[in-house]
Amino acid sequence: MSDTSYVPVSERPSNEFSSGLLDSASKMEMGSSSSSPFPSSSSSGFTSNQRSQMSGGLQLPDWLTESLQKPLVKIGIAVSSFVLLIVIIVNASSGGGGGSGSGGYSGPTRAGGSGINCAGMQDMLFGEPVTAHNGHYYQLIGGSFASLTWMDAFHDAVHRCHNGHTGYLASIQSMEENNFILQLIKESKTYLNGAGDKFCWLGAIDMNTEGTFEWVTGNSHTDGVVFWTGGSPNNGGAPVNGQFDYFENSANGFTTGANEPNSNGEEDCVAMRGGHKMTGGTTDGTWNDVACYSRINYFVVEFDGHKMTGGT
């Protein structure tokens, strides 16, 4: 055993240690040793994809990575992205819109297809009373204070439920039914308020073919049924196969000089004249073709009669 006494490192002269060793230790403590087995972030020893692979990122071929850095490629990507954005905006906007004229209408041929499936659901009536008539049910919506377009009325109707049935704008099939709806209007609490006639939207349009009026409902018996063709009576317009209509014209016994429907392409929806105390009742209950975005007082929702408990 050596008899050399142990001298602690702290008590030894500094010249016993290599400055290189101290420098290396210092670098290791600072994390900057060039002998580290892991390359620094600035190391050029690895390609960008190798660094991406080590960090778990997306791996692209080196040639593609280099190509994406070229100015012309960047410009091409920017232009393509802009064109794609324009296409998305155009496609999104082409599904809406519409106007009071015909020719551009591609709306529902069945009201139920645009509304809700009420089978098995509780009633959704939003407060207005429901009145039964000949196996169907009716709701008068609106009042002298209301200002409703045909589209307002249509979309409201198909989001109402009664006895499991989806509502739709009324499709009038007889003089009896016409008089019943007229009476609903006249019994409205605000019927006598204000001046001028009160009108009520019905579920009839000629948006698909000018001068050809059809019912647009959720009822399989009336949906899509054409009841008038030919446009104005002055141009040979007339009811189809004995279908009921009550347009204000001489064929229906009116001597007012009106020849409804008289549209020239701007009046594609049908409204009933609800009458008023100022008109004397001479044309109460008659129908007019009206611009669909006109604003009137009432609409009538009709529901089929038998109770639906499930299914479609």
Side-chain angles (χ1 to χ4, degrees), residues 69-237:
Q69 302 304 314
K70 295 180 179 180
L72 289 178
V73 174
K74 291 182 178 180
I75 293 174
I77 293 174
V79 171
S80 299
S81 300
F82 178 75
V83 172
L84 179 59
L85 178 61
I86 294 298
V87 170
I88 293 173
I89 293 173
V90 170
N91 286 339
S93 62
S94 65
S100 59
S102 60
Y105 179 76
S106 58
T109 56
R110 297 190 60 81
S114 297
I116 56 176
N117 184 350
C118 294
M121 292 181 60
Q122 294 182 346
D123 287 357
M124 294 175 57
L125 300 172
F126 309 109
E128 291 86 352
V130 176
T131 305
H133 178 75
N134 284 348
H136 280 211
Y137 295 87
Y138 301 81
Q139 263 191 310
L140 177 70
I141 314 298
S144 63
F145 53 84
S147 179
L148 303 159
T149 70
W150 187 88
M151 292 301 293
D152 291 336
F154 175 85
H155 286 293
D156 185 301
V158 299
H159 287 86
R160 292 175 181 258
C161 297
H162 183 257
N163 282 345
H165 290 281
T166 303
Y168 52 92
L169 289 179
S171 60
I172 300 177
Q173 304 299 302
S174 67
M175 194 66 207
E176 181 185 13
E177 186 179 13
N178 200 78
N179 289 338
F180 166 76
I181 289 176
L182 176 61
Q183 193 60 33
L184 285 181
I185 298 170
K186 290 189 173 185
E187 290 175 355
S188 168
K189 293 179 180 179
T190 63
Y191 175 71
L192 297 181
N193 294 355
D197 284 352
K198 301 296 185 287
F199 284 86
C200 172
W201 289 120
L202 303 177
I205 60 171
D206 73 337
M207 292 182 187
N208 291 318
T209 303
E210 179 61 33
T212 299
F213 288 86
E214 61 183 306
W215 296 110
V216 181
T217 72
N219 184 305
S220 59
H221 297 294
T222 58
D223 187 49
V225 172
V226 174
F227 64 89
W228 182 280
T229 59
S232 170
N234 289 339
N235 298 323

Side-chain angles (χ1 to χ4, degrees), residues 232-234 248-251 253-260 262 283 288:
S232 170
N234 289 339
E248 184 183 353
N249 55 47
S250 58
F254 294 96
T255 59
T256 58
N259 286 290
E260 301 291 347
N262 62 1
T283 59
N288 292 345

Side-chain angles (χ1 to χ4, degrees), residues 5-13 16-17:
S5 300
Y6 172 75
V7 179
V9 173
S10 60
E11 296 180 7
R12 298 182 189 182
E16 292 186 12
F17 299 94

